[in-house]
Amino acid sequence: MRQDLKNKIYKHFNYTAFNVCDPKLRRIHKACARDRVLHHAIFRILYPIFDRNFIFDSYSCRVNKGTHGAVKRLEIFARKISKNNSVNIFALKCDIKKFFDSIDQNILMKLIQNKIADENALWLIGEVIKSFEKTKDKGLPLGNVTSQLFANIYLNELDQFIKHKLRAKYYLRYCDDFIILADNKEYLGQLAGKIENFLLGKLKLELHPDKIIIRKFRQGIDFLGYVVLPAHRVLRTKTKKRILRKIRIKAANLHNKLILEQNLEQSRQSYFGVLKHCKGFKIKNRIDKLLK
């Protein structure tokens, strides 16, 4: 591989595709070990160059960020703008339609070229980006570590627009899910229209029409597996049902000697780790009862 890179004859191998369903169906494209080594090398160099230009409230696939950080930040925003839950506030929650499949590779390369001038580096990055297409010149594979960074580079344009052009103070994003809080419902409706126009015109992306939601904060905001409420947070109902269903299946498998007790205990501790970040005492009790 080193010689191929040195002579600029490197070609990315084909991907192995498979489906995962947890919770919804996703098509994953897995690169071979040789190419994954290269993906990590590219990521290690590019990440610090681009990360310093990302907004603070972008939480996907970044050091010291993550899902729990995003949910905590949402709670901080809500308490601040609602004056400790004494004022009604609203949340605009949006989702980009088929985000990874819709990323325009030519636009992405132009954004990368704004920071990277080295011709050899740009050639190599281009080879990785062009190694996958959903449609002509569009799409990134779910499965590459580079895809997560490229997605943040792409949507940093949206982040900068919302923060600096629209001046939305209480905005945060995790991958293609984002939320804006305000005390005015009509204002959020206007923002949604401006964001939609920006995405289509600048990035050739569309908001999912069924996932543009404006609701009162006291009704609860469904975000990253949890429902955030004024006084506490709870686990999303679908997530709770999925956990209980999987526990039942594993308990049955243990009874039929298809798995070891250690395997079931690992799953139990994993789910308890999720529940410690919310009001999950009752669900913990249900899990323990099922296992008894």
Side-chain angles (χ1 to χ4, degrees):
M1 184 172 67
R2 181 179 181 279
Q3 288 302 317
D4 287 350
L5 292 170
K6 188 175 180 180
N7 297 323
K8 293 182 76 170
I9 59 172
Y10 164 80
K11 292 294 179 185
H12 199 287
F13 287 167
N14 291 332
Y15 291 90
T16 301
F18 59 93
N19 294 328
V20 296
C21 190
D22 191 17
K24 64 182 180 181
L25 184 68
R26 296 182 187 277
R27 188 71 168 169
I28 307 298
H29 289 82
K30 178 184 174 184
C32 69
R34 160 186 176 269
D35 292 324
R36 293 204 304 275
V37 169
L38 189 61
H39 296 166
H40 278 273
I42 292 170
F43 179 88
R44 288 176 64 184
I45 298 299
L46 294 187
Y47 178 84
I49 295 172
F50 284 94
D51 186 74
R52 65 173 68 104
N53 297 297
F54 296 157
I55 66 168
F56 180 86
D57 289 310
S58 166
Y59 286 87
S60 175
C61 300
R62 297 179 65 197
V63 176
N64 298 323
K65 298 291 182 176
T67 56
H68 298 305
V71 174
K72 286 178 183 176
R73 184 68 164 170
L74 176 59
E75 291 175 329
I76 291 169
F77 280 171
R79 282 196 299 270
K80 191 171 183 180
I81 194 172
S82 68
K83 299 177 181 178
N84 285 328
N85 304 319
S86 63
V87 176
N88 283 332
I89 63 170
F90 300 87
L92 167 65
K93 185 171 181 289
C94 299
D95 182 285
I96 296 172
K97 185 179 180 182
K98 296 181 179 178
F99 171 58
F100 278 93
D101 290 345
S102 302
I103 290 175
D104 188 292
Q105 296 176 352
N106 295 319
I107 293 174
L108 175 60
M109 278 302 300
K110 287 178 182 177
L111 295 174
I112 292 172
Q113 286 167 1
N114 291 337
K115 290 287 181 185
I116 306 297
D118 185 86
E119 290 185 4
N120 290 331
L122 290 172
W123 163 77
L124 180 56
I125 294 165
E127 287 296 318
V128 173
I129 290 173
K130 293 172 186 175
S131 66
F132 174 87
E133 280 186 337
K134 186 65 177 181
T135 56
K136 177 64 176 174
D137 294 330
K138 285 198 170 187
L140 290 177
L142 281 171
N144 284 4
V145 66
T146 51
S147 294
Q148 307 298 331
L149 176 60
F150 292 155
N152 275 336
I153 293 170
Y154 205 79
L155 285 184
N156 184 53
E157 299 300 301
L158 173 66
D159 297 339
Q160 301 297 334
F161 173 73
I162 292 176
K163 293 293 288 185
H164 301 298
K165 295 293 183 181
L166 299 183
R167 296 187 179 278
K169 189 174 181 181
Y170 301 103
Y171 162 79
L172 58 87
R173 178 179 63 81
Y174 187 93
C175 196
D176 60 325
D177 291 333
F178 59 91
I179 289 178
I180 303 174
L181 298 181
D183 57 6
N184 188 304
K185 186 176 181 180
E186 288 70 29
Y187 164 72
L188 291 177
Q190 293 171 4
L191 287 187
K194 292 176 182 178
I195 291 168
E196 199 163 19
N197 291 335
F198 173 83
L199 284 171
L200 192 59
K202 179 79 174 180
L203 299 175
K204 298 184 180 179
L205 297 173
E206 296 179 55
L207 290 179
H208 198 298
D210 299 328
K211 295 182 180 179
I212 304 173
I213 300 167
I214 301 177
R215 61 184 296 153
K216 293 178 181 178
F217 178 63
R218 67 186 181 194
Q219 293 175 304
I221 302 174
D222 189 332
F223 189 51
L224 303 178
Y226 298 96
V227 178
V228 179
L229 293 151
H232 59 278
R233 76 177 81 148
V234 295
L235 200 63
R236 181 188 289 163
T237 302
K238 286 183 179 179
T239 307
K240 178 178 70 175
K241 289 180 178 178
R242 188 169 72 253
I243 286 174
L244 294 174
R245 184 178 69 250
K246 287 188 173 183
I247 283 290
R248 288 190 189 98
I249 292 171
K250 291 223 169 190
N253 288 341
L254 178 65
H255 180 74
N256 294 321
K257 298 182 179 180
L258 297 175
I259 62 171
L260 298 173
E261 187 172 346
Q262 180 185 3
N263 184 275
L264 180 59
E265 180 59 20
Q266 287 172 345
S267 295
R268 176 179 171 275
Q269 293 299 331
S270 175
Y271 295 139
F272 280 13
V274 172
L275 292 168
K276 76 177 183 180
H277 295 281
C278 67
K279 191 177 180 181
F281 181 74
K282 289 183 179 179
I283 306 173
K284 285 183 179 179
N285 283 343
R286 288 188 65 181
I287 290 173
D288 285 336
K289 285 181 181 179
L290 282 171
L291 295 181
K292 286 177 183 177

